């Protein structure tokens, strides 16, 4: 489980990947960002009885330069012009996350930060929540929500989004409650279709949804701005390859904000074991309609159901073709396997592709482990039990540098490439003589 949790910390907030642009900052600008985070303290203390402000790393993913608001315990960071600077070691993956590094627990955020101040503070506060999350009693959990990449799962989630958008856009309490009730109906109906869906969705919503809710409240946005931000977030998410890792950024904050307007301390009632669906139904005092197929189809018509069904049917056909292609490449054909020993990884959760029971395809990822550093740019498959990664076969092996089509493995220690009877290759540690 610890292996899976360390991986979780690295991927869980990398939705805000920003490699498309570059920007340099001076120390005054960096200090402004830290000051903005410090100014969230009042809001965060009201929310959690604890300030979000604490050890924070702002990291340039291209140069690995760190800007921090305090020093580390080993002297990597040096104090310069009001900030601490240094270079992040190669064995530490860069992501929007929380991590233990050099004697402290840090919030790490990738540069450049959003130019919009509300979005910037939102992101800083979100990752800072992850830093204090264990202290607040929220255990870190990883769960498989691959059902949200299947047609029926996507349809149910999109209908929930549509109902939530209408709830956020309504002015009258009666209308808000109507749409909230329907949103929760679509949620519960969807979760009935898949084993452990309710449990697994809840785990990610506790981790990410509560963090995003915290970021939204800490940002100090106006009511109109919050609603616009949430609605735009749901609309933008439709452009992502999958909802599997990102849906919690939209659902929990939407319910949570509407509830916050009625009860601004509701979040103090919950912990890692809270069933958020049941909790929201109870707190909003909503009666969810009967979970029948007929009611589902009738109600869907009120929420762009016809368009959603058409789009998801078309996507499903293309998705099956993609799954067949990746399954052939990384499961059925000869390939290269590396077993994880103590892995950490970073990736963009918007782009992954669940491959049925065989695992998840990652178009790009960076993995560090005791055996070295693996950089993937043209795809790999991680097994569903998180024990191994499958790659295309190596094309060159030069001492400790192994290369394949779109991937590079920088080895450390005594490892060799072996071959099994199925013509698959795998990484093996040499026995000490």
């Amino acid at each position: 489980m610890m292996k899976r949790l360390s991986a979780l910390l690295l991927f869980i907030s990398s939705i805000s990947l920003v490699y498309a642009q570059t920007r340099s900052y001076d120390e005054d600008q960096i200090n402004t960002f830290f000051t903005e985070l410090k100014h969230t303290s009042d809001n965060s203390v009201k929310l959690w009885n604890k300030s979000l402000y604490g050890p924070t790393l702002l990291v340039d993913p291209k140069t690995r330069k760190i800007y921090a608001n305090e020093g580390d315990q080993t002297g990597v960071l040096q104090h310069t012009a009001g900030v601490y600077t240094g270079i992040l070691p190669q064995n530490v993956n860069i992501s929007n996350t929380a991590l233990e590094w050099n004697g402290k627990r840090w919030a790490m955020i990738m540069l450049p930060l959003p130019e919009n101040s509300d979005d910037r503070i939102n992101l800083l506060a979100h990752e800072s929540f992850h830093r204090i999350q264990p202290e607040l009693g929220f255990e870190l959990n990883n769960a498989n929500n691959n059902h949200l990449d299947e047609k029926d799962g996507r349809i149910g989630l999109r209908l929930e989004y549509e109902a939530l958008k209408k709830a956020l856009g309504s002015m009258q309490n009666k209308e808000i409650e109507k749409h909230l009730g329907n949103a929760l109906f679509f949620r519960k109906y969807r979760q009935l279709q898949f084993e452990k869906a309710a449990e697994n969705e809840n785990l990610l919503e506790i981790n990410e949804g509560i963090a995003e809710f915290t970021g939204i409240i800490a940002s100090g946005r106006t009511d109109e701005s919050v609603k616009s931000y949430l609605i735009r977030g749901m609309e933008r998410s439709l452009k992502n390859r999958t909802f599997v890792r990102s849906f919690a950024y939209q659902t929990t904050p939407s319910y949570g904000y509407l509830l916050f307007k009625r009860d601004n301390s509701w979040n103090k009632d919950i912990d890692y074991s809270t069933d958020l669906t049941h909790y929201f139904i109870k707190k909003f005092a909503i009666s969810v309609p009967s979970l029948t197929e007929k009611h589902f189809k009738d109600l869907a018509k009120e929420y762009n159901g016809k368009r959603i069904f058409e789009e998801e049917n078309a996507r499903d056909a293309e998705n099956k073709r993609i799954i067949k292609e990746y399954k052939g490449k990384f499961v059925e054909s000869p390939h290269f396997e590396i077993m994880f020993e103590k892995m950490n990884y970073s990736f963009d959760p918007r782009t992954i592709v669940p491959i049925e029971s065989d695992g998840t395809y990652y178009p790009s990822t960076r993995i560090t482990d005791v055996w070295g550093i693996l950089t993937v740019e043209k795809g790999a498959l991680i097994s569903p039990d998180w024990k191994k990664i499958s790659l295309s076969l190596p094309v060159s092996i030069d001492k400790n540098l192994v290369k394949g089509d779109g991937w590079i493995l920088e080895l450390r220690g005594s490892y060799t490439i072996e071959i099994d009877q199925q013509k698959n290759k795998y990484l093996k540690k040499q026995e000490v003589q």
Side-chain angles (χ1 to χ4, degrees):
M1 177 61 74
M2 290 306 298
K3 183 187 297 181
R4 296 176 66 182
L5 294 186
S6 64
L8 172 69
L9 286 172
L10 284 161
F11 78 64
I12 202 71
S13 299
S14 56
I15 287 176
S16 300
L17 292 174
V18 285
Y19 290 114
Q21 54 178 322
T22 58
R23 183 178 175 183
S24 59
Y25 296 100
D26 58 33
E27 281 74 10
D28 287 341
Q29 291 171 307
I30 295 295
N31 271 317
T32 297
F33 301 151
F34 289 135
T35 299
E36 288 178 331
L37 178 58
K38 186 177 289 187
H39 285 167
T40 68
S41 291
D42 288 345
N43 287 338
S44 60
V45 168
K46 290 177 183 176
L47 269 181
W48 297 110
N49 298 326
K50 187 174 181 62
S51 174
L52 292 172
Y53 189 76
T56 306
L57 306 172
L58 305 180
V59 184
D60 184 331
K62 293 187 178 294
T63 65
R64 304 186 73 82
K65 184 173 182 179
I66 301 169
Y67 301 90
N69 59 346
E70 56 183 77
D72 65 312
Q73 293 186 3
T74 61
V76 171
L77 302 174
Q78 300 297 312
H79 191 258
T80 307
V83 299
Y84 292 81
T85 60
I87 301 298
L88 191 70
Q90 288 291 328
N91 66 343
V92 180
N93 287 317
I94 299 172
S95 182
N96 293 335
T97 191
L99 76 162
E100 302 287 341
W101 179 68
N102 283 7
K104 294 183 180 181
R105 182 171 174 83
W106 304 82
M108 178 195 289
I109 301 98
M110 295 186 297
L111 295 171
L113 298 180
E115 293 189 7
N116 177 277
S117 61
D118 288 343
D119 292 347
R120 183 167 61 246
I121 296 170
N122 197 141
L123 175 60
L124 290 167
H126 178 120
E127 302 310 331
S128 295
F129 173 84
H130 282 310
R131 184 183 63 80
I132 66 171
Q133 184 174 343
E135 299 174 48
L136 296 174
F138 291 96
E139 293 184 3
L140 296 168
N141 289 287
N142 187 13
N144 183 346
N145 283 290
N146 286 356
H147 65 282
L148 293 178
D149 204 54
E150 296 186 29
K151 182 177 69 173
D152 289 342
R154 286 179 58 89
I155 288 172
L157 182 62
R158 289 186 62 180
L159 289 169
E160 183 180 0
Y161 279 3
E162 291 298 312
L164 281 173
K165 287 192 290 183
K166 288 194 175 184
L168 289 163
S170 298
M171 302 301 294
Q172 302 297 322
N173 283 339
K174 186 176 181 180
E175 283 295 302
I176 293 172
E177 290 175 2
K178 169 192 169 183
H179 296 305
L180 281 174
N182 291 338
L184 288 162
F185 165 82
F186 288 129
R187 165 185 286 239
K188 288 182 71 66
Y189 186 86
R190 172 184 75 244
Q191 292 173 346
L192 280 176
Q193 314 305 308
F194 302 94
E195 184 180 3
K196 291 188 176 182
E199 176 186 346
N200 291 338
E201 288 182 19
N202 194 68
L203 287 172
L204 190 59
E205 288 187 307
I206 288 289
N207 276 313
E208 283 309 295
I210 300 302
E212 182 64 4
F213 166 76
T214 300
I216 288 169
I217 301 303
S219 69
R221 289 181 171 91
T222 65
D223 180 58
E224 182 180 353
S225 177
V226 170
K227 291 177 178 179
S228 175
Y229 175 79
L230 290 168
I231 291 170
R232 285 187 288 108
M234 284 183 270
E235 292 172 346
R236 283 197 304 268
S237 73
L238 297 178
K239 299 178 182 178
N240 297 343
R241 174 64 183 75
T242 184
F243 299 126
V244 168
R245 302 291 190 194
S246 62
F247 73 95
Y249 279 73
Q250 323 303 330
T251 51
T252 307
S254 296
Y255 293 111
Y257 178 69
L258 290 171
L259 183 55
F260 181 80
K261 294 177 68 178
R262 305 182 186 190
D263 176 1
N264 62 12
S265 63
W266 71 263
N267 55 289
K268 295 177 184 176
D269 293 341
I270 68 171
D271 59 26
Y272 74 95
S273 65
T274 300
D275 181 332
L276 288 176
T277 301
H278 176 76
Y279 179 82
F280 287 136
I281 290 173
K282 182 178 179 181
K283 290 292 287 187
F284 283 116
I286 287 172
S287 177
V288 175
S290 177
L291 301 175
T292 65
E293 182 178 4
K294 182 180 185 306
H295 191 73
F296 172 77
K297 291 180 177 179
D298 290 342
L299 196 58
K301 297 174 184 176
E302 299 180 31
Y303 295 96
N304 297 319
K306 184 176 184 298
R307 174 172 60 82
I308 290 171
F309 291 145
E310 290 174 350
E311 290 177 354
E312 291 304 323
N313 281 328
R315 179 192 181 275
D316 186 55
E318 173 62 12
N319 196 50
K320 287 176 179 176
R321 183 197 66 78
I322 292 172
I323 289 173
K324 183 178 179 180
E325 175 186 339
Y326 294 151
K327 194 170 183 177
K329 182 175 181 179
F330 297 109
V331 178
E332 298 167 349
S333 299
H335 54 271
F336 180 40
E337 294 183 356
I338 303 176
M339 301 300 294
F340 296 138
E341 298 181 41
K342 192 178 179 181
M343 73 92 93
N344 284 294
Y345 74 146
S346 59
F347 67 99
D348 184 347
R350 299 167 299 183
T351 62
I352 62 177
V353 183
I355 309 297
E356 298 175 339
S357 61
D358 294 301
T360 302
Y361 172 82
Y362 295 78
S364 61
T365 184
R366 185 180 191 270
I367 296 175
T368 60
D369 206 319
V370 295
W371 36 253
I373 301 172
L374 173 66
T375 304
V376 178
E377 295 180 350
K378 289 187 179 180
L381 183 73
I382 293 181
S383 64
D385 57 9
W386 299 80
K387 290 184 178 180
K388 67 179 181 180
I389 185 169
S390 298
L391 304 149
S392 60
L393 292 172
V395 295
S396 70
I397 302 173
D398 182 12
K399 296 182 179 178
N400 289 335
L401 191 64
V402 184
K403 294 182 179 181
D405 181 20
W407 61 265
I408 297 176
L409 173 61
E410 302 168 65
L411 286 175
R412 60 169 175 259
S414 300
Y415 287 85
T416 59
I417 309 300
E418 304 288 343
I419 190 166
D420 65 16
Q421 294 180 350
Q422 286 74 41
K423 305 298 183 182
N424 296 329
K425 294 184 178 181
Y426 61 96
L427 190 65
K428 181 180 179 181
K429 188 171 185 177
Q430 292 179 334
E431 298 294 333
V432 178
Q433 300 296 324

